[in-house]
């Protein structure tokens, strides 16, 4: 195992939290599992991952939640991440859904999978106090 890494920022409970918003079939659940496993096995952190979704079918909304903590801190909370430090949106059409950007912390990070330009997405009320990254992941895949 690699030596433990330090988390960049934590909340009042000592956690760094991520929420992945996606449409079923785009890989948010698997991505969350992989991030959590990598944090534990390769970074020496504690991690918790779980997903919330309705019917298990392609095209249904899904939210995947991750919590990271330093190696000496246990993670006992399995409640949904309400105020994430990072939000990743797997399809820009999700910006139309209520709550997609809810709770993102000030100075947080927003990652959006989109082929559009930032100016085209500003009508969805993107936060101005966060770092926004646009990634054309469909083309990369």
């Amino acid at each position: 195992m690699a030596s433990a890494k330090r988390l960049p920022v934590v909340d009042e409970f000592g956690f760094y939290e991520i929420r992945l918003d996606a449409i079923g079939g785009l890989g948010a659940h698997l991505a969350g599992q992989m991030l959590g496993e990598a944090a534990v096995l390769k970074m020496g952190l504690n991690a918790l991952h779980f997903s919330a979704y309705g019917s298990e079918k392609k095209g249904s909304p899904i939210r995947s939640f991750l919590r990271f903590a330093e190696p000496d801190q246990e993670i006992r909370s399995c409640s949904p991440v309400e105020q994430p430090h990072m939000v990743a949106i797997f399809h820009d059409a999700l910006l139309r859904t209520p709550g997609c950007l809810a709770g993102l912390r000030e100075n947080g990070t927003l990652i959006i999978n989109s082929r559009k330009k930032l100016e085209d997405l500003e009508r969805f009320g993107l936060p101005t106090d966060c770092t926004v990254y646009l990634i054309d992941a469909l083309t990369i895949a």
Side-chain angles (χ1 to χ4, degrees), residues 84-137:
H85 295 90
M86 177 186 293
V87 171
I89 300 173
F90 281 49
H91 195 288
D92 59 21
L94 290 167
L95 291 170
R96 295 186 198 106
T97 62
C100 188
L101 300 173
L104 182 59
R105 291 179 181 266
E106 186 176 322
N107 298 318
T109 303
L110 175 62
I111 302 171
I112 304 171
N113 172 27
S114 181
R115 291 182 173 153
K116 298 176 181 165
K117 295 183 189 249
L118 184 59
E119 298 79 35
D120 299 331
L121 300 175
E122 287 176 344
R123 65 186 168 107
F124 295 109
L126 300 180
T128 58
D129 59 351
C130 294
T131 304
V132 179
Y133 295 98
L134 296 180
I135 300 174
D136 184 1

Side-chain angles (χ1 to χ4, degrees), residues 4 10-12 30 33 42 49 95 100 105 111 117 127 135 138:
V10 294
D11 63 13
E12 60 273 16
L30 182 58
Q33 283 180 322
K42 299 297 182 184
H49 164 259
L95 291 170
C100 188
R105 291 179 181 266
I111 302 171
K117 295 183 189 249
I135 300 174
L138 295 176

Side-chain angles (χ1 to χ4, degrees), residues 16-34:
Y16 183 85
E17 299 179 317
I18 298 175
R19 186 178 71 224
L20 308 175
D21 284 276
I23 297 166
L26 293 180
H29 179 73
L30 182 58
Q33 283 180 322
M34 290 170 39

Side-chain angles (χ1 to χ4, degrees), residues 38-89:
V40 171
L41 297 177
K42 299 297 182 184
M43 299 176 71
L45 297 170
N46 283 333
L48 172 76
H49 164 259
F50 61 97
S51 295
Y53 40 86
S55 60
E56 291 188 54
K57 64 181 182 181
K58 195 173 188 176
S60 300
I62 179 173
R63 281 191 160 173
S64 197
F65 305 101
L66 290 126
R67 276 194 181 90
F68 300 102
E70 299 293 342
D72 58 343
Q73 182 178 359
E74 293 181 352
I75 303 174
R76 295 204 175 261
S77 174
C78 291
S79 62
V81 173
E82 300 290 336
Q83 292 186 299
H85 295 90
M86 177 186 293
V87 171
I89 300 173

